[in-house]
Amino acid sequence: KSGLDPGGAWHAWGMACLKAGNLNSAREKFNRCLKPPMDLNQLNHGSRLVQDVIQYLESTVKPVLIADDDYFATLRELEATVRTRSLSLEMMCEGKIQHNSYYQECLFYLHSYGTNLAIISFYMRHDCMREALLHLLNKESPSEVFIEGIFIPSYESGKLHMLENLLETIDPGLESWGVYLIAACKYLQRKNYYHILYELQQFMKDHVRAAMTCIRFFTHGAKSYTELGGKQTWLLKIKDHLKVYLQEVSRSSGRKKMAFTFRKKMSATDVSRHINTVDLQMEVTKFLHQCESSGTSQMTDSSLPTLFGNNNMKMDVACKVILEGKNIEEGFGIAFRVLQDFQLEATEVYSKVAKQLVKQQKYGEIRQLLKCVNESGVAAKNDGDNIILNCLNEFKNIPAEDLDNLIQDMDSDENKIQAYMMCNKLRSAYLVSVRQEKARAVQLVQHVRQLAESSGDDVVKAICAQWL
């Protein structure tokens, strides 16, 4: 008559029927006020009303704890205790609760009015992980339901191995779990739970991704190569994963193509290249660890470069190796292999090293660097000259004797003249210019004369004018 929503009354009536143990009558009353969710895969446990019903039914099958002075308990309390204990014994049958009428009642309400997450969470609460997994598969629920309902509760309660065993029992190839496992890996990565992630990747036999996680364990948080020296076991694990992957690929290529849909794929060439990178990183780590231990280490960069970074970082590794040895020659071989293997811009690296040496005022070492570059066998004709010119561009205050030595080490007369002009050594530029072929000599001397005029060097200006 008053037009009020009768839902609340039906719900209260249904709860009263439940408490009285009249299950059929309760179903009838609840049918008038409970509705199934619009989306069974929504990430909640359904309406509050349904949750209240489940909560009550679950509390009914739990044993009542008797106080120490239980001999004072009334007959009614004892009776209730005996009744609920027999229910709970029935419930714990092989860790399951199928044979209990209250359990069946919970399932009725969950399947009629609950979400998939609510059903799965119910199974998980009662140690029915297998049923939870089968329900997930049968309903083709999205990966969020798996994460929320099964995966998080499993690792939080230390049952990850049990979950892995069940996944394998239900589908030994794990193919039907692929989407869920990849989602679990992404979740763990977002949370920075890398140790659980690595364990899961090993279970999945996803060797390429496991190798990538090992790279993270090796590089993350290290501030020096001494620290990296202590983490070299991760490099060995990377190699192991990649080798196992190569074996699996070669085995499966002989047979019918295996459908490893969710495991990361990589060509055999790329895998071999990565194994080579790991070998080289081991060599770099040992060398730089030794340099740091013996105190020859000079550079103190905030970031620690490794060969697992981009090309700029790899170039930093090559520079570090050349600069941190006892002398240039000691680390040049390893650095040269880094440059060759990754096809890096060698001249850029050598110029960077030379500039560092100028800053450290190690001019003799620059000459040793040029010697190594020339003896490497792959240097272009002007590489050595360009390294010196790049240095002179930035540093005008190199001592006169060292400067002369560097310029005299240049191969090309043209480059020598350019270097002398850059350093305002116009007399030296004139002396090399006049040794050139006549037509070219005239052009060069004219240029020297112009520079002398603009810089007010009357002596050189007069010599040039006389020669011309």
Side-chain angles (χ1 to χ4, degrees), residues 194-195 210-238 277-286 288-289 304-309 313 317:
Y194 284 94
H195 288 281
M212 289 158 76
T213 305
C214 290
I215 290 174
R216 202 238 178 219
F217 283 134
F218 174 71
T219 55
H220 186 69
K223 295 280 185 286
S224 69
Y225 262 89
T226 305
E227 276 181 55
L228 286 184
K231 294 166 96 176
Q232 286 190 82
T233 47
W234 289 113
L235 294 177
L236 295 171
K237 285 184 180 179
I238 298 168
T277 300
V278 174
D279 285 334
L280 203 45
Q281 181 63 53
M282 285 176 105
E283 220 173 310
V284 166
T285 306
K286 279 174 192 162
L288 290 174
H289 180 197
L304 195 65
T306 69
L307 298 178
F308 300 118
M313 194 184 262
V317 171

Side-chain angles (χ1 to χ4, degrees), residues 362-382:
K362 294 181 175 175
Y363 306 109
E365 301 266 295
I366 298 175
R367 298 179 78 181
Q368 196 181 4
L369 172 68
L370 297 174
K371 181 172 170 283
C372 290
V373 170
N374 290 329
E375 287 172 0
S376 67
V378 292
K381 188 169 182 280
N382 279 334

Side-chain angles (χ1 to χ4, degrees), residues 95-108:
K96 303 284 187 278
I97 49 176
Q98 283 95 322
H99 310 301
N100 180 272
S101 56
Y102 280 88
Y103 170 89
Q104 295 302 333
E105 211 58 22
C106 283
L107 285 181
F108 167 76

Side-chain angles (χ1 to χ4, degrees), residues 44 76 90 140 146 196 214 220 236 368 387 405 407 434 460:
N44 59 43
R76 282 172 68 86
E90 200 178 351
E140 296 179 350
F146 170 73
I196 304 175
C214 290
H220 186 69
L236 295 171
Q368 196 181 4
I387 292 167
N405 288 338
I407 294 174
V434 295
V460 174

Side-chain angles (χ1 to χ4, degrees), residues 424 426-427 445-464:
N424 216 27
L426 300 180
R427 187 184 178 85
V445 173
Q446 280 175 337
H447 189 199
V448 173
R449 185 177 68 171
Q450 283 169 1
L451 287 173
E453 197 171 340
S454 55
S455 65
D457 189 337
D458 294 334
V459 178
V460 174
K461 181 184 161 190
I463 296 171
C464 291

